[in-house]
Amino acid sequence: MLEICCGSFEDAMTAYECGVRRIELNSALSLGGLTPSLGSLIMTKQYTDLEVMAMIRSRGAGFCYTEYQYEQMLEDMKLMLAYGSDGIVFGFLKEDRTIDEKRCREFVENIHNEGRQAVFHRAFDCAKDANQAIETLIDLGVDRVLTSGQAPTAEEGIALLSKLQKEYGKQIEILAGCGIHAENVKKIIEETEILQIHSSCGGWREDFTTKGEQVSFAISSGKHENQYETVSVDKITNLLKICG
């Protein structure tokens, strides 16, 4: 299973037209992915038969949220479920970097009550103890966890990914993600035995209105200064050839 990380309805359509079957729908990929607009979910479900995992994340940076932030995320989650999301992607940690069981339990219960999938995202990679964290997620009934093996990339995290799959793969689905592309995906699959891959297949598109005479709204620098992030048809196609 190849899951593509999409930042918009347009990204979702690109993934769908390439033959992808499941996506993670976000906004603001430059911040690591935030809650998508309701419109992007509605349109994706209207125009495709994609399996859509909707990200619920109110801000960038870490995963220990204020009460107001959490209440917003709870409401966003309920809306995404009401409008057809097939699953919800979330992650809550306490200040000591352990799983926030109370908040996760409330999310899992709401998601499962609607018959949808509960996916814990890469907040897992900031957890203090990987074994304790995954055992907690299993106890909470989380269906799947997205992780790079607590390393900067999944390729660098192969050792832990392999361990997690071997020890816990029959109790929770392991989705390997971060820095996965056509050149390393086969190695990651073979060495970890994980059969679910998450990739942004990131590309760039020009928008020359990004800069004025004295102001700039650039999200990057150098050659990408007048560009925004999108998915790459070529990268998706190349990954699909390997992953099937």
Side-chain angles (χ1 to χ4, degrees):
M1 169 63 77
L2 173 61
E3 176 182 280
I4 297 298
C5 181
C6 296
S8 65
F9 165 64
E10 183 174 50
D11 282 355
M13 289 302 299
T14 300
Y16 175 68
E17 289 163 0
C18 286
V20 170
R21 296 173 306 199
R22 189 174 81 199
I23 66 167
E24 180 190 271
L25 186 61
N26 301 258
S27 65
L29 291 184
S30 59
L31 295 177
L34 303 183
T35 304
S37 74
L38 196 56
S40 68
L41 172 64
I42 291 170
M43 293 179 72
T44 299
K45 297 302 292 184
Q46 179 178 350
Y47 288 103
T48 79
D49 60 359
L50 283 165
E51 189 177 1
V52 180
M53 304 293 119
M55 172 66 72
I56 301 296
R57 188 167 175 240
S58 61
R59 60 165 171 81
F63 310 101
C64 184
Y65 300 96
T66 67
E67 190 59 33
Y68 285 135
Q69 290 167 355
Y70 177 69
E71 289 297 323
Q72 175 188 327
M73 293 167 74
L74 191 63
E75 187 65 24
D76 282 337
M77 177 263 292
K78 293 175 181 178
L79 284 169
M80 293 292 157
L81 291 173
Y83 281 89
S85 179
D86 300 284
I88 298 295
V89 184
F90 64 94
F92 301 109
L93 299 178
K94 295 181 180 179
E95 287 186 355
D96 63 359
R97 292 172 32 231
T98 60
I99 302 295
D100 189 327
E101 295 185 44
K102 181 180 178 181
R103 289 178 170 181
C104 287
R105 182 176 291 107
E106 186 169 17
F107 259 60
V108 171
E109 288 177 354
N110 275 274
I111 295 163
H112 284 174
N113 284 343
E114 296 296 327
R116 317 294 170 80
Q117 300 172 55
V119 184
F120 196 89
H121 59 46
R122 289 190 61 219
F124 178 85
D125 291 325
C126 289
K128 183 187 299 183
D129 184 306
N131 282 21
Q132 182 183 63
I134 200 166
E135 288 171 7
T136 300
L137 296 180
I138 290 168
D139 289 342
L140 290 168
V142 171
D143 299 293
R144 183 161 58 247
V145 58
L146 169 63
T147 174
S148 63
Q150 297 199 327
T153 67
E155 187 172 9
E156 294 171 272
I158 280 177
L160 180 56
L161 287 170
S162 180
K163 180 177 183 292
L164 293 174
Q165 178 65 23
K166 182 178 180 180
E167 295 184 11
Y168 302 103
K170 292 183 180 180
Q171 301 173 75
I172 189 171
E173 296 176 12
I174 310 296
L175 175 62
C178 189
I180 300 181
H181 45 74
E183 288 71 33
N184 65 10
V185 67
K186 187 175 180 181
K187 173 185 177 182
I188 292 168
I189 291 172
E190 289 178 348
E191 295 190 20
T192 66
E193 298 185 355
I194 291 173
L195 298 178
Q196 295 196 51
I197 298 299
H198 173 97
S199 177
S200 65
C201 288
W204 295 88
R205 187 171 297 170
E206 298 283 355
D207 184 344
F208 291 106
T209 66
T210 301
K211 294 177 61 180
E213 298 303 323
Q214 299 183 63
V215 298
S216 173
F217 291 90
I219 61 172
S220 189
S221 58
K223 66 178 182 179
H224 297 306
E225 192 171 15
N226 285 313
Q227 298 178 332
Y228 63 93
E229 292 176 290
T230 184
V231 295
S232 164
V233 171
D234 289 343
K235 290 182 180 179
I236 294 175
T237 302
N238 290 335
L239 259 183
L240 278 173
K241 287 178 182 177
I242 301 169
C243 296

